[in-house]
Amino acid sequence: MIPDWMTKYDLFIDIHDTLRPYSEARALLEVIERTWKLKSYFNGSNLGGRWIFQVFSQEFVTEIANIVNTIIRESSSEGPVVEVMSGDGVLTDFLKRRVERPIIATDAKSPRYRIAYPKEVETIDAIEAVRKYSPAVVIACWEPHLSMTAIDIVRWGSPLIWIGDPQSCGHPDLFTEHCKPAGDYSCIKMNSKYALGRHDSLLKNELRTDIYVFNCDESWFDLSNGDTSLLID
């Protein structure tokens, strides 16, 4: 039996029509996986017609915001937060009231992708956006597969929060010695408890996505309990 709140007009709801608790987001995806196809749901067969790559819940967005705010405080950088390759900009929308700097959603808006780009998402290439804004923090969520953009941003020296599944997005060299961050910093895997992506199996508990941080000092983050969503009120 599918709970009434999960469907409308015989379609599953758009999980990003509002920011839901992790428990609700996971419950919805488990029902979809059990009764239908997650791939179809993520590919736009939902009430909002939205293509979904990463699932955002209250806890996950709070976790990202806390990482952003920690970087801002520890690095003393003065620029804004810039999300590159932001798609429909939903992550930026969810973060706006949670981060301590202005946040700007940007995307090159390639016609290759069936994404409804709102006018609030600035049309600009990722590297051009980094050059234009000199951001305190760059966010990249589900970088296109084999894209070298995140590698270029890391080499540029900007603090980068990279969200996604290393098997399905971005370039594998991002996680190897071929990608040399500025200074002596290494890649920090945040081991998020709340990361859910389009290729995960909830029923098998096979979760492949996470948050990775580049060009930051690991000592800035309390990773002892593996739950950065609780670091800052």
Side-chain angles (χ1 to χ4, degrees), residues 104-115:
I104 303 163
T106 69
D107 198 290
K109 299 184 180 178
S110 169
R112 291 173 51 198
Y113 305 108
R114 289 182 286 177
I115 296 174

Side-chain angles (χ1 to χ4, degrees), residues 25-40:
R26 177 155 186 150
L28 173 63
L29 297 179
E30 286 178 353
V31 167
I32 294 171
E33 185 175 1
R34 185 179 299 112
T35 64
W36 193 41
K37 298 177 181 178
L38 279 174
K39 182 177 180 180
S40 296

Side-chain angles (χ1 to χ4, degrees), residues 205-219:
N205 204 34
E206 295 175 353
L207 308 179
R208 294 166 37 177
T209 64
D210 208 336
I211 304 170
Y212 299 83
V213 178
F214 297 84
N215 290 337
C216 294
D217 193 317
E218 189 170 339
S219 67

Side-chain angles (χ1 to χ4, degrees), residues 116-131:
Y117 298 103
K119 62 181 181 180
E120 292 80 11
V121 175
E122 181 177 349
T123 306
I124 187 172
D125 173 81
I127 299 302
E128 291 178 8
V130 172
R131 291 191 180 117

